[in-house]
Amino acid sequence: MIILGIDPGIAIVGWGIVDYTGTKFSPIAYGSITTPKEMTTEQRLAEIYRQMTDIINKYHPQEMAVEELFFNTNQTTGIRVAEARGVILLAGHTCGLPIAEYTPLQVKQAVVGYGRAEKKQVITMVTMMLGLAKPPKPDDTADALALAITHAHSGCSRLAKYYNLK
C-alpha cells in the first residue's frame, strides 16, 4: 500500500510517501511545501492546493493520512492552519484518495509506543523504521512520514469501518 502522510500548515506542509508491503516500510519520497509570508492567504492556499495535487498525481498514493488539528494558544495561526488543512483534504478528495485522520497522540503512540513522546523520539523512530541515512528535515516532513507509518499500522481497519467494508 502506498500512503501519503501530511502534516498540515500554512507556512510549511510536511509530506511523505511510503510503501508498506507486508510488514516492511520503504520510503518513496518526502519533502515540504513552503509558502512565503509575503503571499496573501488566498495565494498561499492556492499554492498548497496546486503542489498537493501535483504530488498526488506524480506519486499516485493509494491512501492519505492527515494530522488532526491541535489548537494551541494562538487561534489566528490555528485558523490559518485549518484553512490549509481544508485545501489539503480537498486535494486528496478530488484526486480520489481515501483519507484518514490521526491526532498527534495517536501518531506518537503508533510510532514510538508512548502517546506523550517527545518530537525527537518520533523523528528518531521514523528515521530508523524507514532506514534513512539521516533524519528528514524539516520536522514537519518527519511528522508527515510518521503519519504515513501510523496509517500503515492502523489505517486499514479505520478505512474499512469508514467505508463499511467490515
Side-chain angles (χ1 to χ4, degrees):
M1 170 182 2
I2 299 174
I3 304 164
L4 169 60
I6 301 292
D7 181 31
I10 189 72
I12 302 172
V13 176
W15 63 273
I17 302 174
V18 299
D19 182 11
Y20 183 65
T21 304
T23 58
K24 185 175 181 192
F25 289 101
S26 301
I28 294 175
Y30 52 90
S32 61
I33 299 168
T34 58
T35 60
K37 63 182 176 183
E38 296 79 30
M39 295 174 87
T40 66
T41 300
E42 297 82 10
Q43 290 170 325
R44 292 173 105 176
L45 294 173
E47 184 62 16
I48 290 167
Y49 181 83
R50 185 190 65 74
Q51 287 193 45
M52 187 58 50
T53 55
D54 287 350
I55 290 164
I56 292 168
N57 290 328
K58 180 176 181 178
Y59 294 104
H60 306 287
Q62 296 165 291
E63 297 178 8
M64 183 174 178
V66 181
E67 186 173 77
E68 287 186 6
L69 282 184
F70 173 76
F71 278 97
N72 56 16
T73 54
N74 188 341
Q75 292 205 348
T76 302
T77 301
I79 291 168
R80 290 212 173 108
V81 173
E83 292 170 340
R85 190 174 177 279
V87 298
I88 291 164
L89 293 172
L90 178 63
H93 176 75
T94 58
C95 289
L97 294 179
I99 301 168
E101 300 171 59
Y102 300 94
T103 66
L105 186 106
Q106 289 173 308
V107 173
K108 292 173 182 179
Q109 182 68 40
V111 175
V112 179
Y114 176 59
R116 304 274 186 232
E118 299 291 325
K119 184 173 281 291
K120 184 176 180 182
Q121 291 173 293
V122 173
I123 294 169
T124 298
M125 287 303 295
V126 165
T127 304
M128 288 174 41
M129 293 173 87
L130 296 178
L132 302 174
K134 59 185 179 182
K137 295 287 181 190
D139 290 353
D140 308 82
T141 300
D143 290 345
L145 289 166
L147 278 147
I149 291 168
T150 299
H151 185 65
H153 284 159
S154 59
C156 294
S157 61
R158 290 184 76 172
L159 284 174
K161 182 178 177 183
Y162 177 78
Y163 288 106
N164 296 317
L165 300 175
K166 279 193 170 182

